[in-house]
Amino acid sequence: MKLTDNVLRSFRVAKVFRENSDKINCFDFSPNGETVISSSDDDSIVLYDCQEGKPKRTLYSKKYGVDLIRYTHAANTVVYSSNKIDDTIRYLSLHDNKYIRYFPGHTKRVVALSMSPVDDTFISGSLDKTIRLWDLRSPNCQGLMHLQGKPVCSFDPEGLIFAAGVNSEMVKLYDLRSFDKGPFATFKMQYDRTCEWTGLKFSNDGKLILISTNGGFIRLIDAFKGAVLHTFGGYNNSKAVTLEASFTPDSQFIMIGSEDGKIHVWNGESGMKVAVLDGKHTGPITCLQFNPKFMTFASACSNMVRKWTLSSSE
């Protein structure tokens, strides 16, 4: 089934999960779309079965806390950053709830984590103003970049290049094989003093980059030329919350939650807003992602996850 403006307008909340006692700070769908995993400020990791629409199991990271959780290529392992004690990244086997490896190095909180879509490489960005390149098979950092400010970073869909957003005003593109030579492209944006960048994502076709901010707008840019194609606004974010923005899997639509619990959807080509979906969230929607394989998406606020499906399939 193809996503259209009308199809997007017909999504409804199918399930509400109240597994958490505190804010859900991140979630990630498995590459096959069969499960979604969430991390929360209550130190829990909850694994959900997307097809059955129910929680499968809960693990805890009470000592270190858990944030920015990401699936690796194996469906039963994840990496995540810590938000207590230290800033080490941890590689966890979900199957037996054991750590496979630690990745120490960052000296301040990790604010960006992106897994390569093709291999065991991942990158992390921290408030210590560095981006580090890692390999799941080694605890040692494979590459280190020093920046002028807070970074956001992400791999492109082919895993050949990564983008780094620096100081909320520049996007730099690096070739993974020769990133130590510096960026092969730098796009300078208009600096906005009212907010800072909180996320950066490529579309699945690799042609677009979505820049999230903690203000009242997000930007869509051309991944090759750096030109700003659209600036999307008109949603509530007065408290500078980090709201996750996402592409739909076909790269055609852009979605973001808001402070008042509504989800806003735009057509990436026309720039027009096509839907505002009300899932009755009680707080700001901090996490929002579309399932990579199935016609569902998930949104999360303070302590609840909602699963959305097309109303006709209920």
Side-chain angles (χ1 to χ4, degrees):
M1 186 175 185
K2 193 173 179 301
L3 279 176
T4 62
D5 297 4
N6 281 335
V7 169
L8 278 158
R9 281 193 279 270
S10 62
F11 272 88
R12 298 290 179 268
V13 175
K15 285 267 171 74
V16 179
F17 302 106
R18 294 182 174 86
E19 305 300 304
N20 297 96
S21 60
D22 207 336
K23 187 186 103 177
I24 293 152
N25 51 42
C26 185
F27 54 52
D28 195 36
F29 279 99
S30 60
N32 62 12
E34 289 173 10
T35 58
V36 65
I37 195 158
S38 71
S39 57
S40 164
D41 288 354
D42 64 12
D43 307 332
S44 71
I45 297 168
V46 183
L47 188 66
Y48 298 89
D49 184 312
C50 292
Q51 284 155 311
E52 292 184 17
K54 64 182 189 191
K56 277 171 76 165
R57 58 188 299 213
T58 301
L59 309 171
Y60 290 94
S61 178
K62 286 201 182 299
K63 186 175 176 186
Y64 306 109
V66 55
D67 195 1
L68 297 181
I69 197 157
R70 302 281 184 258
Y71 273 106
T72 66
H73 296 286
N76 57 354
T77 60
V78 291
V79 288
Y80 65 82
S81 62
S82 322
N83 52 14
K84 284 156 65 166
I85 296 191
D86 62 18
D87 302 288
T88 298
I89 296 165
R90 292 178 162 78
Y91 179 22
L92 178 71
S93 164
L94 300 172
H95 161 67
D96 52 8
N97 196 19
K98 287 197 168 70
Y99 291 115
I100 301 167
R101 198 159 282 118
Y102 300 108
F103 303 96
H106 284 302
T107 55
K108 287 189 175 167
R109 192 162 71 91
V110 174
V111 290
L113 192 60
S114 177
M115 192 76 214
S116 162
V118 295
D119 60 22
D120 285 338
T121 312
F122 68 97
I123 49 174
S124 57
S126 157
L127 294 178
D128 63 16
K129 299 180 183 174
T130 64
I131 287 177
R132 287 175 181 262
L133 190 63
W134 309 88
D135 188 303
L136 284 174
R137 295 162 294 194
S138 163
N140 304 320
C141 172
Q142 308 290 303
L144 175 64
M145 286 162 45
H146 291 274
L147 306 166
Q148 261 71 58
K150 175 189 168 182
V152 288
C153 53
S154 182
F155 276 100
D156 84 316
E158 290 173 339
L160 298 172
I161 64 170
F162 66 88
V166 189
N167 282 357
S168 300
E169 60 177 345
M170 268 181 292
V171 175
K172 299 184 176 209
L173 300 182
Y174 295 85
D175 186 310
L176 198 61
R177 292 155 299 194
S178 57
F179 78 95
D180 49 336
K181 294 186 174 66
F184 65 83
T186 300
F187 309 137
K188 198 156 174 23
M189 307 280 140
Q190 192 180 345
Y191 182 61
D192 190 310
R193 281 186 181 75
T194 62
C195 62
E196 63 177 9
W197 294 1
T198 53
L200 196 126
K201 286 184 184 179
F202 278 89
S203 57
N204 275 346
D205 61 10
K207 294 176 182 172
L208 306 166
I209 296 174
L210 182 60
I211 299 168
S212 313
T213 74
N214 63 358
F217 67 90
I218 50 179
R219 279 214 176 103
L220 187 66
I221 68 168
D222 182 303
F224 302 108
K225 302 191 186 82
V228 176
L229 302 173
H230 297 291
T231 300
F232 304 117
Y235 59 91
N236 293 357
N237 190 13
S238 62
K239 298 188 180 77
V241 179
T242 297
L243 303 170
E244 182 177 23
S246 290
F247 286 100
T248 50
D250 61 5
S251 309
Q252 303 301 308
F253 297 92
I254 288 94
M255 323 167 65
I256 192 168
S258 63
E259 205 172 59
D260 60 8
K262 292 186 172 69
I263 293 168
H264 297 250
V265 188
W266 294 268
N267 182 308
E269 197 169 348
S270 69
M272 301 297 288
K273 188 176 284 189
V274 297
V276 178
L277 304 169
D278 188 359
K280 305 282 189 286
H281 274 288
T282 52
I285 298 173
T286 46
C287 305
L288 177 66
Q289 278 181 35
F290 216 98
N291 189 307
K293 296 285 189 263
F294 302 106
M295 201 57 100
T296 64
F297 67 89
S299 58
C301 63
S302 45
N303 56 1
M304 285 179 285
V305 176
R306 279 163 168 67
K307 178 192 175 200
W308 298 71
T309 54
L310 288 170
S311 52
S312 56
S313 65
E314 282 304 314

